[in-house]
Amino acid sequence: MSALGREPGETVRVLDEDGGVVGEVPDVDEDTLLAIYRGMKLARHFDERAVSLQRQGRMGTYPPLSGQEGAQVASAHAMDAEDWLFPSYREHGAAYVRGQPLKRTLLYWMGHEAGNVPPEDVRMFPVAVPIATQIPHATGAAWAAKLRGDDAAVLCHFGDGATSEGDFHEGLNFAGVFDVPAVFFCNNNQWAISVPRERQTASGTLAGKAAAYGFEGVQVDGMDPLAVYRVTRAAIERAKSGDGETPRPTLIEAVQYRFGAHTTADDPSVYRSDEEVERWRRLDPIPRFEAYLRGRDLLDDGRVAAVEESVSEEVAAAIRAAEAEPRPEPREMFEHVHAEPSRQVREQHAALEALRDEHGDGAFLRE
């Protein structure tokens, strides 16, 4: 058995699709179990409201996360307070667990650059929209932590499409050579926009790619929160030499599915069938985990209703707060590209201002 508590080639699973226990249950206290459940319920409700806001023209393009709550929320709960999260653009649930206010997430997708600035006490890097660019950044941050002697690990989220980018190879290769305290968390949701997993690579698994970099890879049922917690916790401990061995990075492949579109600018019906989506819905992480918690007498109908009410109120309050902010000025898009604006940025800014002088703000701002 490996240091991560699984047999070679095994997909780690703790719960079956009905919430029954089929694997080793991790050591998680009841408060954390309930926090994971509430976090998933909140992420799902937030996602539904955010998609609705975009459809109503109240927010810009938005990347839905439904189906991926178990991987996001459970992996974030497996982190220690001193650890750092490096998200892509879909980890709204993980960011919330780490302390990113929902209001800031909404502001970011509403066009406010301030929405991409985590509070000072939140150990999370800004959202990365370009595919895989956060992976070398995460590796560098983990290396810096090692050089400073910090007791911190880095958890880096990315999608299956990112494994086809050079940044993936460079980041993981460097991490393996220098033994950085990083956990690379691949959210394999089966589709990189419209490109299916089998067109990304001929590798049997994405986790297997870790062997090329000299460290361990593990495949986990990403729609099983307990399995995700167990694997992520073991990987973070290994990154910090908590297992008594040399600190080593880990690649986790969390097998899951995005129920919705890649973004609200995408039409998934063009490239996948309703039957495929429904097959994956049988593994929905929320009812699976709820069934498990009910079986342990940690949830009942009244407690579920209370969670749903509190989640609804919290998301509604965040939306009200975000929409109360003044609309961002178009020129703000140029202010945070570089510490000092480049010639190209200055030229683009000047061109925008010339258009505004000629046509006014009607084409750019909504009163």
Side-chain angles (χ1 to χ4, degrees):
M1 184 171 289
S2 76
L4 296 176
R6 52 105 193 192
E7 298 295 337
E10 173 194 3
T11 299
V12 177
R13 175 182 274 195
V14 175
L15 301 178
D16 63 20
E17 62 186 55
D18 298 317
V21 175
V22 294
E24 180 184 348
V25 177
D27 183 15
V28 190
D29 62 73
E30 293 182 355
D31 287 344
T32 302
L33 290 173
L34 291 171
I36 291 172
Y37 175 74
R38 185 182 187 278
M40 290 197 298
K41 293 283 282 188
L42 182 141
R44 178 69 59 87
H45 183 68
F46 175 84
D47 201 57
E48 293 167 349
R49 290 298 310 274
V51 171
S52 177
L53 289 173
Q54 192 281 330
R55 299 307 191 209
Q56 296 172 57
R58 295 159 65 186
M59 192 165 72
T61 301
Y62 168 80
L65 66 83
S66 289
Q68 301 185 214
E69 297 90 348
Q72 290 192 22
V73 174
S75 66
H77 271 286
M79 301 171 70
D80 293 318
E82 66 271 14
D83 297 336
W84 284 87
L85 174 68
F86 278 69
S88 67
Y89 48 80
R90 202 184 303 277
E91 278 72 55
H92 326 307
Y96 173 81
V97 173
R98 294 301 289 171
Q100 176 79 329
L102 292 177
K103 175 186 174 182
R104 293 205 186 191
T105 298
L106 289 166
L107 286 176
Y108 176 75
W109 297 107
M110 290 176 175
H112 294 261
E113 186 60 31
N116 206 18
V117 182
E120 290 187 6
D121 60 342
V122 174
R123 292 200 157 201
M124 186 183 85
F125 264 57
V127 168
V129 174
I131 303 302
T133 57
Q134 74 275 23
I135 297 176
H137 300 162
T139 298
W143 191 34
K146 178 179 179 178
L147 294 174
R148 288 195 302 259
D150 294 348
D151 185 26
V154 169
L155 178 66
C156 180
H157 277 262
F158 51 92
D160 44 297
T163 65
S164 294
E165 297 286 343
D167 302 73
F168 172 82
H169 164 75
E170 293 152 10
L172 271 68
N173 189 58
F174 192 102
V177 170
F178 290 93
D179 291 333
V180 306
V183 179
F184 300 101
F185 196 101
C186 177
N187 293 285
N188 176 8
N189 66 13
Q190 312 306 311
W191 291 94
I193 308 183
S194 59
V195 179
R197 151 69 178 87
E198 59 267 21
R199 298 298 300 272
Q200 291 293 339
T201 179
S203 298
T205 67
L206 299 178
K209 290 178 178 288
Y213 307 113
F215 53 85
E216 189 165 0
V218 56
Q219 188 180 74
V220 63
D221 181 346
M223 301 172 86
D224 177 349
L226 288 180
V228 169
Y229 182 95
R230 178 179 132 194
V231 165
T232 308
R233 185 64 212 161
I236 287 175
E237 290 177 355
R238 190 163 188 245
K240 301 178 179 184
S241 71
D243 59 3
E245 299 180 0
T246 302
R248 297 290 285 154
T250 302
L251 171 61
I252 297 173
E253 176 192 359
V255 179
Q256 58 202 283
Y257 200 80
R258 60 169 165 85
F259 295 150
H262 172 73
T263 72
T264 49
D266 170 44
D267 179 6
S269 67
V270 174
Y271 54 83
R272 68 185 194 187
S273 67
D274 292 341
E275 291 77 14
E276 176 183 311
V277 177
E278 289 308 309
R279 285 198 306 271
W280 281 93
R281 282 194 183 278
R282 292 198 290 269
L283 296 174
D284 190 325
I286 295 178
R288 287 171 75 183
F289 195 52
E290 181 177 314
Y292 168 75
L293 294 178
R294 285 177 179 269
R296 288 190 53 174
D297 292 327
L298 296 177
L299 281 181
D300 55 27
D301 289 349
R303 292 172 183 172
V304 169
V307 167
E308 291 174 347
E309 181 179 1
S310 70
V311 159
S312 179
E313 292 173 353
E314 183 174 350
V315 172
I319 293 171
R320 289 194 297 271
E323 292 195 315
E325 295 286 336
R327 284 284 194 176
E329 282 277 345
R331 65 172 176 270
E332 293 177 22
M333 73 177 84
F334 301 104
E335 295 176 359
H336 304 282
V337 180
H338 305 291
E340 297 293 334
S342 66
R343 175 180 59 81
Q344 292 89 343
V345 169
R346 290 195 299 270
E347 290 174 351
Q348 291 169 15
H349 188 184
L352 172 65
E353 293 305 323
L355 285 172
R356 296 180 75 181
D357 289 342
E358 180 178 357
H359 301 287
D361 284 345
F364 304 104
L365 295 176
R366 186 177 68 189
E367 299 297 349

